[in-house]
Amino acid sequence: TAESFKRVQALDGDVEAFLTLNEEQAKTAAAEMDAVPFEERGPLFGLPIGVKDNIVTNGLRTTAASKILEDFVPIYDATVVEKLRQAGMVTIGKLNMDEFAMGSSNENSAFQNTRNPWNLDHVPGGSSGASAAAVAAGEVPFSLGSDTGGSIRQPAAFCGVVGMKPTYGRVSRSGLIAFASSLDQIGPITRNVADNALLLEAISGLDPKDSTSANVEVPNFAAALTGDIKGLRIAVPSEYLGEGVGEEAKQAVLDALKVLEGLGAVWEEVSLPHSKYALATYYLLSSSEASSNLARFDGIRYGFRAEGTKNLVELYEQTRSQGFGDEVKRRIMLGTYALSSGYYDAYYKKAQKTRTLIKQDFDKVFEKYDVIIGPTTPTPAFKIGEKIDDPLTMYANDILTIPMNLAGVPAISIPCGFADGLPLGLQIIGNHFDESTIYRVAHAYE
Ligand code: GLN
């Protein structure tokens, strides 16, 4: 813990990953742990971790990188934070993100621009950009992020670390500030696959506080790291190596497939024909859910309240106008529109139907194959400022990560080579609740 704070002190002036540090509480917690007998200590005991700032922490400021929650101090812990404590982990502080997890570059934070440790002129990705950057910079060995449409995997790829989006329902969302409840999942970001497997096991499991958390057994994921992938069947969707995906990203995947073949796996090209609708489907559904979820930020219940307003309606209007950033407002407007009577059938309902088709594409492939492999992102990390004025180009960055959230399947990003001195990510996707196979393949490749 002390080393972690030293490293933050030395590097965070450049990386700007942390929004809030937890120095007092962390040092007290670490000191208390010294008293725990050795036999009672699990594999993660005493290790420092950073937590994305949309995961609530009792007594520790939690902002979701929004002005509307600038001074918000929660009065309870998210279930995952409670589980970290049970594992003996020490929360070092809260990590920057795109406001309410809406974004792909951390540039939508109301507070600061986190930078990519590999090249400070480049973005770390988003929305869990700082969760990936802090691990890449060695400020913390572990962090938690959240992934609604790629927000763990894309930053992990951009920063050259390992990031897992678990199966929807694997990890409790209780205490995760909701963006799109049917897509959001919390997951681990680490420097290697073994650490990732340990951390996922620690945070997984059924939770009575989240009715969408699944009643399935939590395996010992680390036991899957055997190195043996002989006979493993890999599907490679042609859509993930097609138009819009950069040459370097494609080549990196083909090289990785050679390595996996060398280890005894076999691969074939397949098609996920409805992939082309994923981006539109995602932005309609996620914005619709966000417009409903973010209705609670009204200036009465939480955080920021506009001053000098004359009546209740004006107070709502002014609080939300001043408290939310541009991207959040854009999504609330889009979502409200898609849910309005007269438009609901044409947009929201249609998107729900398309979501089912996208999920069925995955189901079909998993009847014959163990994992699906492709790139995590079309390109390596782009420059700060490069895409911020063009939301559609920014959204297009997510084409390879969004389908998995719509289908609810788990997927990991692991480092796989470089382009222009910046890391690239390999994405390995598994069937529902089969994170073990993903970890097995990732570890064999690593
Ligand atoms: N970049 C995507 C978006 O802006 C995904 C975000 C996320 O996964 N939280 O919505």
Side-chain angles (χ1 to χ4, degrees), residues 399-432:
I399 47 169
L400 297 164
T401 47
I402 274 172
M404 301 76 199
N405 299 74
L406 292 169
V409 293
I412 203 169
S413 179
I414 59 172
C416 116
F418 290 86
D420 305 323
L422 289 161
L424 289 166
L426 180 75
Q427 190 172 198
I428 307 169
I429 304 138
N431 206 349
H432 290 98

mmCIF file of all heavy atoms in Angstrom, residues 399-432:
data_model
loop_
_atom_site.group_PDB
_atom_site.id
_atom_site.type_symbol
_atom_site.label_atom_id
_atom_site.label_comp_id
_atom_site.label_asym_id
_atom_site.label_seq_id
_atom_site.Cartn_x
_atom_site.Cartn_y
_atom_site.Cartn_z
ATOM 1 N N ILE A 399 -17.112 -0.621 -32.250
ATOM 2 C CA ILE A 399 -17.816 -1.663 -33.017
ATOM 3 C C ILE A 399 -17.447 -3.084 -32.612
ATOM 4 O O ILE A 399 -18.248 -3.990 -32.742
ATOM 5 C CB ILE A 399 -17.624 -1.548 -34.559
ATOM 6 C CG1 ILE A 399 -16.164 -1.341 -34.911
ATOM 7 C CG2 ILE A 399 -18.508 -0.490 -35.158
ATOM 8 C CD1 ILE A 399 -15.905 -1.482 -36.412
ATOM 9 N N LEU A 400 -16.243 -3.277 -32.116
ATOM 10 C CA LEU A 400 -15.803 -4.646 -31.833
ATOM 11 C C LEU A 400 -16.102 -5.089 -30.403
ATOM 12 O O LEU A 400 -15.921 -6.256 -30.064
ATOM 13 C CB LEU A 400 -14.297 -4.765 -32.100
ATOM 14 C CG LEU A 400 -13.883 -4.517 -33.560
ATOM 15 C CD1 LEU A 400 -12.392 -4.279 -33.665
ATOM 16 C CD2 LEU A 400 -14.308 -5.682 -34.433
ATOM 17 N N THR A 401 -16.516 -4.172 -29.552
ATOM 18 C CA THR A 401 -16.743 -4.543 -28.152
ATOM 19 C C THR A 401 -18.219 -4.543 -27.759
ATOM 20 O O THR A 401 -18.609 -5.187 -26.785
ATOM 21 C CB THR A 401 -15.988 -3.582 -27.207
ATOM 22 O OG1 THR A 401 -16.222 -2.234 -27.620
ATOM 23 C CG2 THR A 401 -14.502 -3.864 -27.201
ATOM 24 N N ILE A 402 -19.034 -3.814 -28.519
ATOM 25 C CA ILE A 402 -20.445 -3.650 -28.166
ATOM 26 C C ILE A 402 -21.295 -4.922 -28.300
ATOM 27 O O ILE A 402 -22.150 -5.182 -27.435
ATOM 28 C CB ILE A 402 -21.021 -2.482 -29.003
ATOM 29 C CG1 ILE A 402 -20.735 -1.179 -28.258
ATOM 30 C CG2 ILE A 402 -22.480 -2.648 -29.304
ATOM 31 C CD1 ILE A 402 -21.063 0.047 -29.059
ATOM 32 N N PRO A 403 -21.066 -5.753 -29.337
ATOM 33 C CA PRO A 403 -21.949 -6.916 -29.508
ATOM 34 C C PRO A 403 -21.987 -7.835 -28.279
ATOM 35 O O PRO A 403 -23.034 -8.421 -27.977
ATOM 36 C CB PRO A 403 -21.339 -7.651 -30.712
ATOM 37 C CG PRO A 403 -20.587 -6.602 -31.463
ATOM 38 C CD PRO A 403 -20.089 -5.640 -30.432
ATOM 39 N N MET A 404 -20.846 -7.943 -27.557
ATOM 40 C CA MET A 404 -20.795 -8.862 -26.412
ATOM 41 C C MET A 404 -21.699 -8.395 -25.277
ATOM 42 O O MET A 404 -22.284 -9.212 -24.568
ATOM 43 C CB MET A 404 -19.356 -9.002 -25.884
ATOM 44 C CG MET A 404 -18.391 -9.510 -26.920
ATOM 45 S SD MET A 404 -17.981 -8.161 -28.075
ATOM 46 C CE MET A 404 -17.347 -9.070 -29.460
ATOM 47 N N ASN A 405 -21.794 -7.082 -25.092
ATOM 48 C CA ASN A 405 -22.697 -6.588 -24.048
ATOM 49 C C ASN A 405 -24.148 -6.843 -24.441
ATOM 50 O O ASN A 405 -24.979 -7.183 -23.602
ATOM 51 C CB ASN A 405 -22.484 -5.093 -23.805
ATOM 52 C CG ASN A 405 -21.078 -4.781 -23.347
ATOM 53 O OD1 ASN A 405 -20.151 -4.819 -24.142
ATOM 54 N ND2 ASN A 405 -20.905 -4.513 -22.063
ATOM 55 N N LEU A 406 -24.453 -6.676 -25.725
ATOM 56 C CA LEU A 406 -25.827 -6.921 -26.175
ATOM 57 C C LEU A 406 -26.180 -8.393 -25.990
ATOM 58 O O LEU A 406 -27.306 -8.733 -25.645
ATOM 59 C CB LEU A 406 -25.982 -6.509 -27.641
ATOM 60 C CG LEU A 406 -25.880 -5.001 -27.905
ATOM 61 C CD1 LEU A 406 -25.784 -4.721 -29.406
ATOM 62 C CD2 LEU A 406 -27.076 -4.244 -27.311
ATOM 63 N N ALA A 407 -25.206 -9.277 -26.209
ATOM 64 C CA ALA A 407 -25.452 -10.720 -26.074
ATOM 65 C C ALA A 407 -25.271 -11.203 -24.635
ATOM 66 O O ALA A 407 -25.709 -12.297 -24.292
ATOM 67 C CB ALA A 407 -24.506 -11.489 -26.991
ATOM 68 N N GLY A 408 -24.618 -10.398 -23.800
ATOM 69 C CA GLY A 408 -24.405 -10.766 -22.395
ATOM 70 C C GLY A 408 -23.239 -11.709 -22.179
ATOM 71 O O GLY A 408 -23.007 -12.182 -21.065
ATOM 72 N N VAL A 409 -22.478 -12.013 -23.223
ATOM 73 C CA VAL A 409 -21.385 -12.990 -23.094
ATOM 74 C C VAL A 409 -20.111 -12.347 -22.533
ATOM 75 O O VAL A 409 -19.917 -11.136 -22.671
ATOM 76 C CB VAL A 409 -21.068 -13.668 -24.452
ATOM 77 C CG1 VAL A 409 -22.239 -14.534 -24.904
ATOM 78 C CG2 VAL A 409 -20.709 -12.639 -25.528
ATOM 79 N N PRO A 410 -19.240 -13.161 -21.905
ATOM 80 C CA PRO A 410 -17.995 -12.621 -21.344
ATOM 81 C C PRO A 410 -16.916 -12.454 -22.421
ATOM 82 O O PRO A 410 -16.915 -13.200 -23.410
ATOM 83 C CB PRO A 410 -17.566 -13.702 -20.354
ATOM 84 C CG PRO A 410 -18.108 -14.981 -20.927
ATOM 85 C CD PRO A 410 -19.395 -14.602 -21.631
ATOM 86 N N ALA A 411 -16.016 -11.502 -22.203
ATOM 87 C CA ALA A 411 -14.924 -11.274 -23.157
ATOM 88 C C ALA A 411 -13.769 -10.594 -22.444
ATOM 89 O O ALA A 411 -13.969 -9.753 -21.562
ATOM 90 C CB ALA A 411 -15.398 -10.409 -24.314
ATOM 91 N N ILE A 412 -12.559 -10.966 -22.861
ATOM 92 C CA ILE A 412 -11.357 -10.394 -22.253
ATOM 93 C C ILE A 412 -10.555 -9.685 -23.338
ATOM 94 O O ILE A 412 -10.662 -10.025 -24.517
ATOM 95 C CB ILE A 412 -10.491 -11.528 -21.631
ATOM 96 C CG1 ILE A 412 -9.561 -10.999 -20.535
ATOM 97 C CG2 ILE A 412 -9.656 -12.252 -22.695
ATOM 98 C CD1 ILE A 412 -8.891 -12.126 -19.731
ATOM 99 N N SER A 413 -9.777 -8.669 -22.940
ATOM 100 C CA SER A 413 -8.768 -8.119 -23.842
ATOM 101 C C SER A 413 -7.415 -8.340 -23.208
ATOM 102 O O SER A 413 -7.212 -8.015 -22.024
ATOM 103 C CB SER A 413 -8.999 -6.627 -24.078
ATOM 104 O OG SER A 413 -7.977 -6.130 -24.932
ATOM 105 N N ILE A 414 -6.500 -8.918 -23.981
ATOM 106 C CA ILE A 414 -5.121 -9.105 -23.506
ATOM 107 C C ILE A 414 -4.163 -8.474 -24.511
ATOM 108 O O ILE A 414 -4.494 -8.356 -25.689
ATOM 109 C CB ILE A 414 -4.771 -10.601 -23.286
ATOM 110 C CG1 ILE A 414 -4.936 -11.390 -24.595
ATOM 111 C CG2 ILE A 414 -5.632 -11.212 -22.195
ATOM 112 C CD1 ILE A 414 -4.417 -12.816 -24.506
ATOM 113 N N PRO A 415 -2.978 -8.059 -24.037
ATOM 114 C CA PRO A 415 -2.033 -7.399 -24.944
ATOM 115 C C PRO A 415 -1.598 -8.331 -26.078
ATOM 116 O O PRO A 415 -1.403 -9.528 -25.853
ATOM 117 C CB PRO A 415 -0.838 -7.076 -24.042
ATOM 118 C CG PRO A 415 -1.358 -7.139 -22.644
ATOM 119 C CD PRO A 415 -2.472 -8.125 -22.654
ATOM 120 N N CYS A 416 -1.474 -7.784 -27.270
ATOM 121 C CA CYS A 416 -1.036 -8.605 -28.413
ATOM 122 C C CYS A 416 -0.310 -7.721 -29.422
ATOM 123 O O CYS A 416 -0.814 -7.394 -30.470
ATOM 124 C CB CYS A 416 -2.226 -9.354 -28.963
ATOM 125 S SG CYS A 416 -2.841 -9.098 -30.548
ATOM 126 N N GLY A 417 0.871 -7.302 -29.089
ATOM 127 C CA GLY A 417 1.690 -6.558 -30.027
ATOM 128 C C GLY A 417 1.475 -5.055 -29.970
ATOM 129 O O GLY A 417 0.697 -4.555 -29.133
ATOM 130 N N PHE A 418 2.156 -4.359 -30.866
ATOM 131 C CA PHE A 418 2.158 -2.897 -30.870
ATOM 132 C C PHE A 418 1.982 -2.368 -32.278
ATOM 133 O O PHE A 418 2.331 -3.043 -33.246
ATOM 134 C CB PHE A 418 3.501 -2.376 -30.343
ATOM 135 C CG PHE A 418 3.702 -2.623 -28.877
ATOM 136 C CD1 PHE A 418 4.220 -3.833 -28.432
ATOM 137 C CD2 PHE A 418 3.379 -1.651 -27.952
ATOM 138 C CE1 PHE A 418 4.404 -4.068 -27.074
ATOM 139 C CE2 PHE A 418 3.568 -1.877 -26.596
ATOM 140 C CZ PHE A 418 4.077 -3.087 -26.160
ATOM 141 N N ALA A 419 1.447 -1.166 -32.360
ATOM 142 C CA ALA A 419 1.471 -0.419 -33.621
ATOM 143 C C ALA A 419 1.875 1.003 -33.275
ATOM 144 O O ALA A 419 1.286 1.614 -32.371
ATOM 145 C CB ALA A 419 0.094 -0.447 -34.280
ATOM 146 N N ASP A 420 2.870 1.525 -33.942
ATOM 147 C CA ASP A 420 3.390 2.868 -33.656
ATOM 148 C C ASP A 420 3.746 3.061 -32.186
ATOM 149 O O ASP A 420 3.449 4.115 -31.598
ATOM 150 C CB ASP A 420 2.371 3.953 -34.059
ATOM 151 C CG ASP A 420 1.948 3.820 -35.513
ATOM 152 O OD1 ASP A 420 2.811 3.470 -36.338
ATOM 153 O OD2 ASP A 420 0.758 4.050 -35.803
ATOM 154 N N GLY A 421 4.299 2.056 -31.574
ATOM 155 C CA GLY A 421 4.709 2.173 -30.178
ATOM 156 C C GLY A 421 3.568 2.137 -29.181
ATOM 157 O O GLY A 421 3.765 2.369 -27.986
ATOM 158 N N LEU A 422 2.359 1.848 -29.671
ATOM 159 C CA LEU A 422 1.203 1.769 -28.766
ATOM 160 C C LEU A 422 0.634 0.353 -28.783
ATOM 161 O O LEU A 422 0.601 -0.296 -29.832
ATOM 162 C CB LEU A 422 0.126 2.764 -29.211
ATOM 163 C CG LEU A 422 0.476 4.232 -28.977
ATOM 164 C CD1 LEU A 422 -0.390 5.134 -29.839
ATOM 165 C CD2 LEU A 422 0.308 4.584 -27.500
ATOM 166 N N PRO A 423 0.157 -0.133 -27.618
ATOM 167 C CA PRO A 423 -0.300 -1.518 -27.523
ATOM 168 C C PRO A 423 -1.570 -1.799 -28.340
ATOM 169 O O PRO A 423 -2.390 -0.898 -28.551
ATOM 170 C CB PRO A 423 -0.615 -1.689 -26.036
ATOM 171 C CG PRO A 423 -0.105 -0.493 -25.341
ATOM 172 C CD PRO A 423 0.077 0.589 -26.343
ATOM 173 N N LEU A 424 -1.707 -3.052 -28.747
ATOM 174 C CA LEU A 424 -2.937 -3.544 -29.374
ATOM 175 C C LEU A 424 -3.523 -4.634 -28.480
ATOM 176 O O LEU A 424 -2.792 -5.286 -27.738
ATOM 177 C CB LEU A 424 -2.630 -4.136 -30.740
ATOM 178 C CG LEU A 424 -2.244 -3.165 -31.857
ATOM 179 C CD1 LEU A 424 -1.652 -3.929 -33.030
ATOM 180 C CD2 LEU A 424 -3.445 -2.332 -32.300
ATOM 181 N N GLY A 425 -4.825 -4.849 -28.607
ATOM 182 C CA GLY A 425 -5.474 -5.861 -27.763
ATOM 183 C C GLY A 425 -6.061 -7.001 -28.577
ATOM 184 O O GLY A 425 -6.574 -6.812 -29.678
ATOM 185 N N LEU A 426 -5.952 -8.204 -28.008
ATOM 186 C CA LEU A 426 -6.592 -9.388 -28.578
ATOM 187 C C LEU A 426 -7.839 -9.667 -27.742
ATOM 188 O O LEU A 426 -7.761 -9.740 -26.525
ATOM 189 C CB LEU A 426 -5.635 -10.585 -28.505
ATOM 190 C CG LEU A 426 -6.161 -11.902 -29.063
ATOM 191 C CD1 LEU A 426 -6.150 -11.858 -30.597
ATOM 192 C CD2 LEU A 426 -5.298 -13.073 -28.591
ATOM 193 N N GLN A 427 -8.976 -9.840 -28.426
ATOM 194 C CA GLN A 427 -10.207 -10.093 -27.680
ATOM 195 C C GLN A 427 -10.585 -11.576 -27.783
ATOM 196 O O GLN A 427 -10.625 -12.138 -28.868
ATOM 197 C CB GLN A 427 -11.339 -9.216 -28.224
ATOM 198 C CG GLN A 427 -12.575 -9.250 -27.342
ATOM 199 C CD GLN A 427 -13.653 -8.254 -27.747
ATOM 200 O OE1 GLN A 427 -14.518 -7.951 -26.950
ATOM 201 N NE2 GLN A 427 -13.628 -7.743 -28.946
ATOM 202 N N ILE A 428 -10.838 -12.168 -26.623
ATOM 203 C CA ILE A 428 -11.270 -13.569 -26.580
ATOM 204 C C ILE A 428 -12.644 -13.590 -25.918
ATOM 205 O O ILE A 428 -12.819 -13.101 -24.800
ATOM 206 C CB ILE A 428 -10.281 -14.441 -25.774
ATOM 207 C CG1 ILE A 428 -8.853 -14.256 -26.320
ATOM 208 C CG2 ILE A 428 -10.686 -15.911 -25.818
ATOM 209 C CD1 ILE A 428 -7.782 -14.872 -25.432
ATOM 210 N N ILE A 429 -13.609 -14.143 -26.641
ATOM 211 C CA ILE A 429 -15.008 -14.105 -26.212
ATOM 212 C C ILE A 429 -15.458 -15.527 -25.907
ATOM 213 O O ILE A 429 -15.130 -16.462 -26.664
ATOM 214 C CB ILE A 429 -15.866 -13.514 -27.356
ATOM 215 C CG1 ILE A 429 -15.337 -12.133 -27.754
ATOM 216 C CG2 ILE A 429 -17.343 -13.443 -26.977
ATOM 217 C CD1 ILE A 429 -15.312 -11.893 -29.239
ATOM 218 N N GLY A 430 -16.199 -15.704 -24.832
ATOM 219 C CA GLY A 430 -16.650 -17.048 -24.449
ATOM 220 C C GLY A 430 -18.161 -17.144 -24.386
ATOM 221 O O GLY A 430 -18.876 -16.139 -24.496
ATOM 222 N N ASN A 431 -18.646 -18.357 -24.194
ATOM 223 C CA ASN A 431 -20.080 -18.550 -24.016
ATOM 224 C C ASN A 431 -20.491 -18.073 -22.610
ATOM 225 O O ASN A 431 -19.637 -17.890 -21.742
ATOM 226 C CB ASN A 431 -20.420 -20.036 -24.198
ATOM 227 C CG ASN A 431 -21.860 -20.232 -24.643
ATOM 228 O OD1 ASN A 431 -22.667 -19.290 -24.620
ATOM 229 N ND2 ASN A 431 -22.180 -21.444 -25.050
ATOM 230 N N HIS A 432 -21.790 -17.883 -22.404
ATOM 231 C CA HIS A 432 -22.283 -17.425 -21.103
ATOM 232 C C HIS A 432 -21.688 -18.245 -19.961
ATOM 233 O O HIS A 432 -21.709 -19.480 -20.007
ATOM 234 C CB HIS A 432 -23.808 -17.530 -21.057
ATOM 235 C CG HIS A 432 -24.485 -16.526 -21.939
ATOM 236 N ND1 HIS A 432 -24.941 -16.830 -23.191
ATOM 237 C CD2 HIS A 432 -24.743 -15.219 -21.763
ATOM 238 C CE1 HIS A 432 -25.462 -15.762 -23.752
ATOM 239 N NE2 HIS A 432 -25.361 -14.753 -22.909
#
